[in-house]
């Protein structure tokens, strides 16, 4: 049988600029930040164009991300309904992660719905302004190891000490609300292709009552990026953002970013709508 040739797109992706010499910071409730970005052209490979054997190697433990088919009972605008999300979608994701990852317990601590602008409307999403939750074209990771460990104690109360002694992960469950996504797909970097020492920069995330941490990502031509072409609501991406058990060969996180797909300029599409659920995943009760 002929071997399929992987397909890819080229896109301009903003990365942390080396011109920034001080520690980066962001205020989630405003646009205030000292972060300086610079764009680099990145080749982003379509996961759909890979063979089944190749895809089998992309798991949360190997690459940091995993493409899983899963159909939600909630459709379309139901996934913008806060009550339905918390009362129906949260339990659905709990069951899904227990089945897919073998988790014993989960705690969903956050979710975000996003809408891209209408075709032709240009909006600067690079700083993810809270007044308009759109796609975030900025290479980043949601948690550092310090922030991931702190999340357990932030959310689990009297169970935190016990649970923190077992294996803990933070996994983002990302899906389109409508599809196919053509204008602002999500790209993910293979953990095996990054250099954590040079590519990741801890960044202060300053809240009114505490300071969290995220990673900004510096560009490197050694990095390998992937996306799902024409991603639909049943094409779920799992992104590991924190891993408590560090072992050789185990992925600890997933750099990711939205990117503007220039191919969409010649296509008809609905502007991207997506939902991401952020979950503490425990392997002990």
């Amino acid at each position: 049988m002929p071997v399929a040739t992987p397909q890819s797109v080229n896109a301009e992706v903003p990365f942390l600029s080396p011109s920034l010499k001080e520690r980066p910071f962001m205020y989630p409730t405003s646009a205030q930040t000292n972060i300086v970005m610079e764009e680099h052209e990145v080749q982003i490979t379509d996961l759909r164009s890979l063979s089944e054997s190749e895809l089998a190697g992309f798991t949360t433990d190997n690459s940091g991300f995993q493409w899983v088919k899963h159909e939600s009972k909630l459709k379309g605008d139901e996934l913008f309904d806060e009550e339905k999300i918390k009362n129906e979608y949260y339990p659905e994701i709990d069951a899904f992660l227990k089945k897919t990852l073998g988790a014993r317990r989960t705690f969903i601590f956050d979710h975000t719905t996003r809408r891209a602008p209408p075709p032709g409307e240009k909006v600067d999403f690079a700083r993810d302004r809270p007044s308009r939750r759109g796609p975030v074209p900025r290479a980043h990771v949601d948690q550092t190891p310090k922030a991931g460990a702190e999340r357990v104690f932030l959310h689990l109360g009297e169970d935190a000490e016990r649970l923190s002694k077992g294996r803990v992960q933070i996994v983002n469950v990302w899906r389109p609300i409508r599809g196919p996504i053509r204008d602002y797909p999500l790209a993910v970097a293979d953990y095996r292709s990054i250099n954590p020492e040079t590519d990741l920069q801890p960044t202060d995330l300053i809240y009114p009552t505490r300071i969290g941490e995220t990673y900004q990502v510096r560009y490197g031509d050694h990095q390998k990026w992937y996306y799902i072409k024409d991603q639909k609501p049943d094409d779920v991406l799992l992104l590991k953002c924190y891993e408590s058990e560090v072992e050789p060969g185990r992925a600890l996180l997933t750099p990711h970013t939205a990117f503007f797909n220039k191919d969409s300029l010649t296509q008809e599409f609905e502007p991207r709508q997506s939902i991401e659920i952020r979950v503490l995943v425990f392997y002990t009760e």
Side-chain angles (χ1 to χ4, degrees), residues 54-124:
E54 289 172 315
L55 283 174
F58 291 92
T59 68
T60 54
D61 274 354
N62 291 341
S63 57
F65 64 88
Q66 188 169 336
W67 173 19
V68 184
K69 285 287 189 178
H70 175 260
E71 188 168 350
S72 172
K73 294 177 182 178
L74 300 184
K75 310 293 182 185
D77 286 345
E78 290 181 313
L79 283 167
F80 286 108
D81 184 318
E82 289 293 308
E83 187 174 335
K84 283 183 175 291
I85 290 171
K86 291 179 179 178
N87 294 335
E88 299 180 44
Y89 192 53
Y90 278 20
E92 195 175 74
I93 294 303
D94 170 77
F96 168 61
L97 288 178
K98 286 175 179 175
K99 179 180 179 181
T100 304
L101 299 180
R104 301 293 298 277
R105 177 172 174 174
T106 72
F107 182 85
I108 298 173
F109 62 87
D110 191 12
H111 73 269
T112 303
T113 53
R114 301 186 186 277
R115 298 176 188 258
E121 180 179 333
K122 193 171 183 179
V123 177
D124 178 14

Side-chain angles (χ1 to χ4, degrees), residues 60-61 64 66 90 93-110 143 148-149 151-153 155-156 160 162-173 238-245 250 277-285:
T60 54
D61 274 354
Q66 188 169 336
Y90 278 20
I93 294 303
D94 170 77
F96 168 61
L97 288 178
K98 286 175 179 175
K99 179 180 179 181
T100 304
L101 299 180
R104 301 293 298 277
R105 177 172 174 174
T106 72
F107 182 85
I108 298 173
F109 62 87
D110 191 12
Q143 313 284 336
R151 281 279 179 189
V152 181
F153 291 87
H155 300 296
L156 271 298
R162 175 177 55 80
L163 290 169
S164 69
K165 293 176 181 178
R167 187 181 182 189
V168 185
Q169 300 170 334
I170 293 178
V171 174
N172 288 10
V173 182
L238 303 181
L239 287 71
K240 184 190 288 185
C241 291
Y242 168 66
E243 168 67 68
S244 68
E245 291 192 356
R250 174 177 285 171
I277 303 284
R278 300 177 184 89
V279 190
L280 279 160
V281 178
F282 301 98
Y283 292 85
T284 53
E285 292 286 357

Side-chain angles (χ1 to χ4, degrees), residues 215-234:
Y215 279 129
Q216 302 304 310
V217 181
R218 297 187 183 93
Y219 172 75
D221 58 11
H222 50 275
Q223 297 165 0
K224 294 181 180 179
W225 290 83
Y226 297 86
Y227 83 116
I228 302 173
K229 183 178 181 180
D230 291 345
Q231 188 176 358
K232 297 177 182 178
D234 65 346

